[in-house]
Amino acid sequence: MPAEHPAPGLFIVGIGPGRTEYLTVRAAHAIARAEYVIGNDSYLDSIGSLLEGKQVIRSSMGKEVERAKTAIELAQSHTVAMVSGGDAGVYGMAGIVLEVLEHSGAEIPVEIVPGVTAANAAASLVGSPLSGDFAVISLSDLLTPLEVIEKRLDAAFSVGIPVVLYNPRSHGRPHNFALAIEHARKYYPPTVPVAIVKNALREGQADPVIVTLGEIEHVMDDVDMHTTVIIGGSESRIWRMGNNVKGIITPRGYHRKYVY
């Protein structure tokens, strides 16, 4: 009997950090089923071993709307996987694809496949900084006005939770990260720990750097668009093993209920 032809439809796949060992089984399955795989060049390059025999459509940053339209058009008669770094629903392609789909009036099966986020990846390398409530805020003002970003920073820091900063510093907006640090210092003492994690769980991963909020200027130049910054909360502390700094611990509250 001939092989069954895949049913038309669209997978929006979070591929995590990009290394295949951090891809979920469901994500790998969705890509394997797809006839067409669409994505940004860098994301496609990271999963090149999974693309053999696929029709691959490459796109560049800034072409997200066009990418979404292409995926929706193809998915009406083919199985399509739209790949997105991290989790497709967290600063990824899921939102714009669903908006374009809604606007188009087309009716196609859609499955959003979750992936490991940059926050999860970075946190795993520096202990347990996100044990309880935390916030994730992008410092990119390409789609969100800077004044809105500043209000969100104030809201998050004012309640004492850890804050993960995405897109912290680029050549086009080198001052947004310093501005975020100013907002953090309005609410947090200089002893609050900060993790600087570049290329978390990706090729080119650098050793994470742990500093305090009061020392951040010493590593400011190391922060770029490949960096995830975790600013600890009011209860976060530096985690040491012997005399060695290993990362950050944010207690969840067990110490208030149990003896250990």
Side-chain angles (χ1 to χ4, degrees):
M1 294 180 61
E4 183 180 350
H5 194 275
L10 177 60
F11 293 102
I12 309 175
V13 184
I15 62 170
R19 284 162 52 182
T20 53
E21 60 262 46
Y22 291 106
L23 201 68
T24 69
V25 173
R26 183 60 180 169
H29 178 70
I31 294 169
R33 282 184 57 186
E35 300 165 87
Y36 287 84
V37 181
I38 303 175
N40 177 279
D41 277 326
S42 60
Y43 300 149
L44 292 171
D45 289 343
S46 70
I47 58 167
S49 62
L50 305 178
L51 301 180
E52 185 176 351
K54 308 295 181 185
Q55 295 288 332
V56 178
I57 299 177
R58 294 177 174 271
S59 180
S60 59
M61 296 295 288
K63 302 291 185 180
E64 290 82 7
V65 174
E66 291 86 344
R67 203 182 310 161
K69 289 180 177 178
T70 299
I72 291 164
E73 182 179 349
L74 286 170
Q76 295 180 57
S77 54
H78 301 277
T79 305
V80 178
M82 167 75 77
V83 298
S84 185
D87 184 294
V90 181
Y91 302 111
M93 285 298 299
I96 185 60
V97 172
L98 296 184
E99 286 186 70
V100 172
L101 177 60
E102 182 181 49
H103 184 74
S104 73
E107 296 185 11
I108 56 174
V110 178
E111 179 180 338
I112 299 169
V113 182
V116 176
T117 68
N120 295 144
S124 73
L125 297 172
V126 292
S128 186
L130 308 179
S131 301
D133 298 332
F134 67 93
V136 179
I137 298 176
S138 171
L139 297 187
S140 172
D141 54 12
L142 181 63
L143 299 175
T144 304
L146 185 57
E147 58 268 24
V148 174
I149 295 172
E150 291 189 74
K151 288 179 180 179
R152 293 172 180 175
L153 290 168
D154 275 330
F157 291 132
S158 69
V159 293
I161 58 176
V163 176
V164 184
L165 301 178
Y166 281 18
N167 306 312
R169 190 167 179 266
S170 70
H171 293 298
R173 44 174 181 76
H175 306 300
N176 288 12
F177 180 54
L179 186 63
I181 296 302
E182 288 181 18
H183 282 274
R185 285 173 170 166
K186 291 194 298 185
Y187 302 96
Y188 295 166
T191 53
V192 163
V194 179
I196 310 293
V197 188
K198 187 175 291 188
N199 290 317
L201 303 184
R202 292 178 175 170
E203 295 300 322
Q205 176 184 302
D207 290 336
V209 175
I210 307 297
V211 294
T212 65
L213 196 57
E215 302 167 331
I216 197 72
E217 277 77 14
H218 299 309
V219 296
M220 197 77 80
D221 291 342
D222 296 331
V223 175
D224 60 18
M225 290 291 284
H226 301 287
T227 306
T228 304
V229 178
I230 302 175
I231 300 176
S234 56
E235 293 192 314
S236 301
R237 64 175 185 269
I238 290 178
W239 166 43
R240 290 180 170 84
M241 191 173 291
N243 294 322
N244 298 317
V245 172
K246 303 293 289 184
I248 298 173
I249 294 175
T250 301
R252 192 176 173 193
Y254 288 103
H255 61 290
R256 289 190 286 270
K257 190 172 182 179
Y258 301 102
V259 177
Y260 53 89

